[in-house]
Amino acid sequence: MALHAYRAKRNFKATPEPEGKTTKSGPVLRYVIQKHDARNLHYDFRLELDGVLKSWAVPKGPSLDPAVKRLAVQVEDHPIAYGDFEGVIPPHQYGSGKVMLWDRGTWQPLEDAAKGYAKGHLHFRLNGEKLKGTWDLIRMHHRPDDKRDVENWLLVKVDDDAARTGAAAEVTDELDKSVATGRLIDEIDDAPVAARASSRTNDAVAHTAAKRSRGKPTSPAESTLPIMVKPQLASLVTTLPVNHQHWIAEIKFDGYRMLARIEAGSARLYSRNAKDWTSRLEKIASELAQLPLDTAWLDGELVGVKPDGSMSFQSLQNAFADDPGNDKPPRLMYYIFDVLFLDGVDIRPEPLLTRKQKLAALLDKLPKNSALRLSDHLQGQMDDAFAHACHHGLEGLILKRADAPYESVRNRNWLKLKCQQRQEFVVGGFTAPEGSRSGFGALLLGTYDADGHFQYAGRVGTGFNEKMLKLLATRLEQLERKTAPFDDATSRIAPRERAHVHWVKPELVVEVRFAEWTAEKRLRQAAFLGLRPDKPAHAVVPETPVDVPKAPSKPVAQAIKVKAKPASQSAATDVAGVSITHPGRIVFPGTGDTKLAIARYYQAVADYVLPQLHDRPLTLVRCPQGAEHPCFFQKHLSDSLPEGLTAIDIAGESGSARYMIANDLHSVIALVQSGVLELHTWGSTAKTLEKPDRLIFDLDPAPEVAWQTVVEGAQLLKGLLEELDLPTFLKTTGGKGLHVEVPLKPSLNWEEAKALTHVLASHLATALPERFVAIMSKAQRTGRIFVDYLRNARGATAVAAYSTRARETPSVATPISWDELPWLESASFWTIHNVPDRLAQQKVGPWAEYDQQRVRLTDSLRQRFASS
């Protein structure tokens, strides 16, 4: 409804303006000014608010003089997509005339934006390519005799460093070119012109410097940019390379491989099989065209990102479905991991790390809401990285030789290590549906061998929803043929199976997850994951693991972890004696909180968080680029971590390993500087490592469980523990659950602690099976709370009290009293913004008696516990 007036005034079959839609605004709000040569020349001033561009027509344009108040007539809301529009609105259409992108950037409300807008006074700061500083938009009162339904506002510059007077204040006279294409308003035409970022704005000095930093580029006529490039492919392996220092690791994205060709201010995107996807990815192509370069080939992966920040192959498929249904379309992101050609130079022969550094320089000034992302990498600690990838449901890792060139083949310089078996197959037939099943029963799958023979590999009959069954049934009907496409000499389809099969042309490629290959070379326990329109059928071969390459005779130079370095974020700030680099880097996308804000939070709560960490081995969650980017667990002390951490050697089944302890504020802040967002601790201290000093029950609800049910579950557990005369302390996790802790005097060993908590968790699950479950199986957790007793095993950890969490917003695991629980809104209620004030106002914290309440589990108490 917010865009009803906008759409009602326009015929989108006749005008090139975007129809657009209302979207959810994020933490970074967009601002744009468009110079509009319509019936009367004016400037359209637009601010993103509530998913649309609130818009005002400013006849004389903005002035930098605080004494000058410019009339701003409010007009209908415009879609966010309108902020990229530059072109000609045809005659006889609403607003006909030329539209030029005069300025763009972001704006920051200095007071509550919704309240200010309703009240009629917006006080804000602009960070545009032309306009900066603080401004006011003030609504004027109607005169009693004024019958017009328009709202008149005043646009006023606040007196600050960006203010000017006299001729210097008339910024529209001095800066008269498009920030997108560098054209004057008279040069705007109706030909499609791709935006070229701010490199053609009036700020030519910055653009010239950027070009000089890469050397002299070639002109389009001199360009050696090839028309097409074949991608390099990775070989499947089953183990990590032995010499980690020679390799880098990247996340194996669950998406579509895409290569981007950029030339002459235009970008095109191609799939792995050289199909042009540009028309489906216009926004991403537009952003690629804005990069500060003249020509390039880039390599990356297109992924679908769900609202919770996770990547989903299914949601990526839905984004291109003809009938997406009621599902909210995912956000499409292009993760770029390599640059092959740059400004007329073929850089494929250069080492991978050199190419990655050049790529990072290209992407270091992307706006926070960009659909482009640098695919970062890690060197060292690959065991932890792989474990973290699998733990969080990722497909696996891509391992690349740090010194290798880019080669358009499949070789052993690029490896893929998967958490589970999955690969592409070609559909050669299908069976008829049975019972209530619609569409078809199962797909018959195959792959091509080295001689081009199409060989049968088994069938898949699970993993389809109704929408996919319908879609595939239509596609299969169009491909149906009379004879089997599988090679007769190698086909292993039993005659009794053939009688019920419909054959199809082997053109449709699907991705399948499976448990293993049988001795007959058929898939076992296969499940459908999705279609792969990005891959050609003839290229689908069995993925046979290869041996991991041996270490080279000469060592590779130490890899540099590439990170984007926005100029505005490069200045260092000291916190507790630690230099925080990139202090302005946004770590939590939901609120815009920065790396510096996290460091200052820990400084503010040091007296509370340090006792929780004291002498306890740590496991870290590191998110070098922030919570919205890939994170990984790290439990071993390594050279990549800051100095000052206390080392502790802990014996394990395969030998001793070095863990870490953070006993002072300097160490904690240094971890923040290293990208750590979560601190998890052992349930014992270094002094009594083999004897836990707490029991912990982690109440982990299934996604559909209401918060009130979690509250009631914690209260039930409290009652059960109190019947055993055990003290209980409560903590929010900062996520969706609660921790109930029992402080102990170290006396039990780990096996005893786990066994006792298992008994109690099982008791709850047996007594109230509709509420609780004591096993990890997700299939059995639907609608219930998992009582996780495994936190009490040796080596297991739990998030420390007062630790931040790696989520969209800066939630904090927070101790609370049982009296507070009934009114608490959620387990993520406490954040870095309200916890310091909470602690400052409390005379006695909810865990003040934690150490004094420690109990020793005597034999009689343990017997009562075990028989509960």
Side-chain angles (χ1 to χ4, degrees):
M1 293 302 294
L3 298 176
H4 177 75
Y6 168 84
R7 291 171 177 155
K9 294 178 178 182
R10 291 164 175 82
N11 177 3
F12 295 105
K13 294 182 179 180
T15 179
E17 297 163 281
E19 184 173 2
K21 58 184 178 181
T22 302
T23 61
K24 182 179 180 180
S25 292
V28 180
L29 299 173
R30 194 172 182 183
Y31 134 79
V32 66
I33 294 180
Q34 286 156 315
K35 188 173 182 179
H36 191 174
D37 190 8
R39 184 170 52 186
N40 296 303
L41 182 66
H42 62 277
Y43 293 80
D44 291 314
F45 184 90
R46 310 191 196 278
L47 300 176
E48 180 183 356
L49 188 62
D50 296 333
V52 296
L53 292 174
K54 298 292 183 184
S55 301
W56 293 262
V58 184
K60 295 184 179 181
S63 172
L64 301 182
D65 189 342
V68 175
K69 299 177 175 61
R70 288 285 161 83
L71 175 67
V73 181
Q74 188 166 14
V75 297
E76 73 273 12
D77 296 340
H78 284 52
I80 300 296
Y82 205 96
D84 296 322
F85 176 66
E86 178 173 288
V88 179
I89 302 174
H92 311 300
Q93 299 300 311
Y94 178 78
S96 63
K98 297 183 176 183
V99 177
M100 184 187 83
L101 278 166
W102 185 81
D103 195 20
R104 63 185 172 191
T106 62
W107 74 286
Q108 179 185 359
L110 300 179
E111 299 172 356
D112 188 286
K115 291 181 179 178
Y117 179 78
K119 185 173 63 176
H121 186 178
L122 286 171
H123 184 53
F124 54 92
R125 183 179 291 115
L126 291 180
N127 183 27
E129 296 181 33
K130 294 179 181 178
L131 296 189
K132 309 284 185 183
T134 307
W135 296 73
D136 283 315
L137 259 174
I138 305 167
R139 186 166 57 221
M140 300 171 64
H141 294 292
H142 280 304
R143 297 193 308 271
D145 59 341
D146 192 347
K147 303 300 183 182
R148 295 175 298 175
D149 59 356
V150 297
E151 296 278 2
N152 289 335
W153 297 57
L154 295 175
L155 178 63
V156 185
K157 180 73 187 73
V158 174
D159 192 1
D160 59 13
D161 292 340
R164 300 289 185 272
T165 58
E170 301 311 310
V171 66
T172 56
D173 295 334
E174 181 182 357
L175 303 177
D176 56 355
K177 293 181 179 179
S178 164
V179 294
T181 59
R183 297 181 293 180
L184 298 169
I185 187 71
D186 292 335
E187 297 171 340
I188 301 296
D189 55 33
D190 56 3
V193 178
R196 290 295 306 274
S198 58
S199 58
R200 295 187 180 179
T201 68
N202 298 274
D203 188 9
V205 176
H207 179 54
T208 302
K211 283 193 173 184
R212 287 175 179 170
S213 70
R214 302 193 306 272
K216 182 180 178 181
T218 59
S219 67
E222 301 168 333
S223 174
T224 59
L225 198 68
I227 298 299
M228 188 57 61
V229 174
K230 290 185 178 180
Q232 180 161 350
L233 304 176
S235 298
L236 180 67
V237 293
T238 57
T239 60
L240 288 164
V242 176
N243 299 88
H244 292 188
Q245 70 270 25
H246 303 302
W247 297 80
I248 67 168
E250 298 174 343
I251 292 294
K252 189 177 190 307
F253 294 107
D254 203 0
Y256 293 162
R257 183 79 172 273
M258 287 288 160
L259 289 96
R261 186 181 191 276
I262 306 171
E263 185 176 31
S266 178
R268 304 205 72 80
L269 286 140
Y270 297 93
S271 68
R272 174 175 148 177
N273 56 345
K275 290 185 178 180
D276 192 332
W277 280 55
T278 312
S279 61
R280 308 185 192 187
L281 302 168
E282 291 181 350
K283 182 179 184 298
I284 291 176
S286 176
E287 290 196 36
L288 287 167
Q290 297 175 35
L291 292 175
L293 53 83
D294 288 289
T295 63
W297 268 104
L298 305 176
D299 196 356
E301 189 95 357
L302 180 73
V303 301
V305 180
K306 297 192 293 187
D308 64 1
S310 62
M311 299 178 191
S312 167
F313 184 67
Q314 184 60 57
S315 63
L316 176 64
Q317 296 235 303
N318 292 344
F320 301 106
D322 295 331
D323 179 19
N326 298 322
D327 296 336
K328 183 178 180 180
R331 185 183 183 192
L332 296 180
M333 306 288 288
Y334 184 42
Y335 278 85
I336 307 171
F337 48 70
D338 216 329
V339 53
L340 319 182
F341 289 79
L342 183 59
D343 287 337
V345 179
D346 182 356
I347 62 174
R348 290 177 296 177
E350 296 184 15
L352 171 62
L353 286 179
T354 303
R355 303 197 307 271
K356 294 277 277 186
Q357 289 170 331
K358 292 182 178 182
L359 178 63
L362 286 176
L363 305 179
D364 68 351
K365 293 183 180 180
L366 291 174
K368 296 298 184 297
N369 60 347
S370 174
L372 308 181
R373 288 288 188 273
L374 172 68
S375 175
D376 211 341
H377 68 269
L378 174 75
Q379 186 173 24
Q381 296 296 320
M382 289 188 183
D383 295 300
D384 286 342
F386 183 64
H388 175 77
C390 298
H391 178 76
H392 285 270
L394 299 176
E395 189 176 348
L397 296 179
I398 295 292
L399 311 169
K400 299 178 180 179
R401 275 292 305 268
D403 63 341
Y406 188 99
E407 301 173 287
S408 297
V409 295
R410 188 189 302 275
N411 60 26
R412 300 189 189 186
N413 287 335
W414 284 20
L415 309 174
K416 52 186 173 182
L417 181 63
K418 297 183 178 183
C419 298
Q420 54 189 353
Q421 296 209 63
R422 54 190 285 179
Q423 73 160 81
E424 296 82 34
F425 293 92
V426 182
V427 180
F430 64 95
T431 62
E434 296 180 358
S436 61
R437 182 73 170 260
S438 63
F440 58 89
L443 301 179
L444 275 64
L445 308 174
T447 59
Y448 286 90
D449 65 14
D451 297 323
H453 296 140
F454 187 44
Q455 298 189 352
Y456 179 61
R459 60 173 63 196
V460 58
T462 64
F464 308 99
N465 57 27
E466 285 299 320
K467 186 191 306 182
M468 184 57 67
L469 285 169
K470 181 179 179 181
L471 171 65
L472 281 174
T474 302
R475 298 281 298 275
L476 293 169
E477 184 179 347
Q478 296 169 350
L479 295 173
E480 199 161 351
R481 55 184 271 178
K482 295 182 179 179
T483 58
F486 299 103
D487 185 77
D488 287 338
T490 57
S491 176
R492 295 181 297 276
I493 305 175
R496 57 184 174 81
E497 293 179 334
R498 296 187 188 186
H500 305 286
V501 169
H502 299 264
W503 306 113
V504 298
K505 298 176 184 177
E507 298 178 7
L508 200 61
V509 180
V510 299
E511 185 160 357
V512 171
R513 181 182 66 239
F514 58 98
E516 61 182 355
W517 289 101
T518 67
E520 294 76 26
K521 297 298 182 182
R522 294 194 187 185
L523 298 174
R524 181 174 175 269
Q525 296 181 5
F528 174 84
L529 293 178
L531 290 169
R532 295 306 305 240
D534 58 317
K535 297 193 175 183
H538 61 81
V540 176
V541 297
E543 290 192 355
T544 304
V546 300
D547 294 331
V548 176
K550 296 181 179 180
S553 57
K554 295 182 179 181
V556 181
Q558 179 67 23
I560 300 172
K561 185 161 172 55
V562 180
K563 299 179 182 178
K565 298 182 178 179
S568 62
Q569 302 176 3
S570 60
T573 301
D574 282 353
V575 177
V578 178
S579 179
I580 304 296
T581 59
H582 308 287
R585 172 174 289 162
I586 292 179
V587 176
F588 292 101
T591 57
D593 285 294
T594 63
K595 187 177 180 181
L596 179 60
I598 307 308
R600 287 179 173 167
Y601 159 75
Y602 278 113
Q603 186 179 41
V605 301
D607 291 343
Y608 295 87
V609 71
L610 290 178
Q612 301 297 323
L613 306 178
H614 187 71
D615 275 356
R616 294 184 186 272
L618 284 173
T619 293
L620 312 173
V621 175
R622 296 180 67 181
C623 310
Q625 290 187 301
E628 69 174 333
H629 295 279
C631 304
F632 59 93
F633 280 108
Q634 183 167 349
K635 62 181 179 179
H636 296 142
L637 186 60
S638 68
D639 293 339
S640 66
L641 290 172
E643 296 181 358
L645 293 168
T646 301
I648 176 173
D649 292 322
I650 300 178
E653 293 181 359
S654 58
S656 180
R658 179 152 290 187
Y659 289 69
M660 73 203 92
I661 294 173
N663 278 338
D664 53 48
L665 181 61
H666 183 278
S667 297
V668 174
I669 302 302
L671 290 174
V672 173
Q673 162 61 17
S674 299
V676 173
L677 288 188
E678 294 188 12
L679 304 166
H680 295 246
T681 60
W682 274 47
S684 63
T685 63
K687 185 178 179 180
T688 57
L689 193 64
E690 301 305 328
K691 294 183 177 180
D693 62 357
R694 71 185 181 199
L695 299 178
I696 185 167
F697 298 88
D698 180 2
L699 301 183
D700 184 9
E704 64 275 9
V705 175
W707 170 246
Q708 184 56 37
T709 303
V710 181
V711 170
E712 293 170 359
Q715 292 168 332
L716 287 168
L717 177 58
K718 175 178 183 283
L720 187 56
L721 291 168
E722 286 182 344
E723 287 182 11
L724 298 169
D725 299 321
L726 294 176
T728 57
F729 289 82
L730 186 63
K731 177 180 70 184
T732 67
T733 62
K736 52 187 171 68
L738 294 167
H739 284 177
V740 178
E741 298 192 16
V742 177
L744 299 180
K745 292 180 180 179
S747 58
L748 304 177
N749 61 38
W750 286 108
E751 286 301 321
E752 291 171 327
K754 185 173 72 170
L756 288 175
T757 51
H758 187 190
V759 166
L760 207 59
S762 299
H763 174 79
L764 282 171
T766 302
L768 297 167
E770 73 282 359
R771 284 180 178 261
F772 298 103
V773 63
I775 57 177
M776 292 186 66
S777 171
K778 288 187 176 181
Q780 298 190 41
R781 289 168 62 181
T782 303
R784 294 185 285 182
I785 300 169
F786 172 42
V787 185
D788 186 355
Y789 63 91
L790 298 174
R791 302 287 181 185
N792 303 285
R794 186 182 189 274
T797 59
V799 64
Y802 303 109
S803 168
T804 55
R805 302 305 305 269
R807 299 178 181 272
E808 186 176 7
T809 58
S811 58
V812 171
T814 308
I816 63 172
S817 69
W818 286 100
D819 291 339
E820 293 177 287
L821 181 59
W823 61 260
L824 195 65
E825 296 178 4
S826 71
S828 59
F829 174 81
W830 296 109
T831 70
I832 64 170
H833 301 294
N834 52 24
V835 165
D837 290 340
R838 164 185 171 80
L839 296 176
Q841 294 169 8
Q842 288 180 334
K843 294 182 179 180
V844 179
W847 279 16
E849 299 295 321
Y850 193 101
D851 287 335
Q852 289 75 13
Q853 294 288 324
R854 293 189 183 278
V855 295
R856 183 182 300 277
L857 289 182
T858 62
D859 289 341
S860 61
L861 187 55
R862 289 161 64 180
Q863 289 175 4
R864 290 177 58 200
F865 202 111
S867 61
S868 62

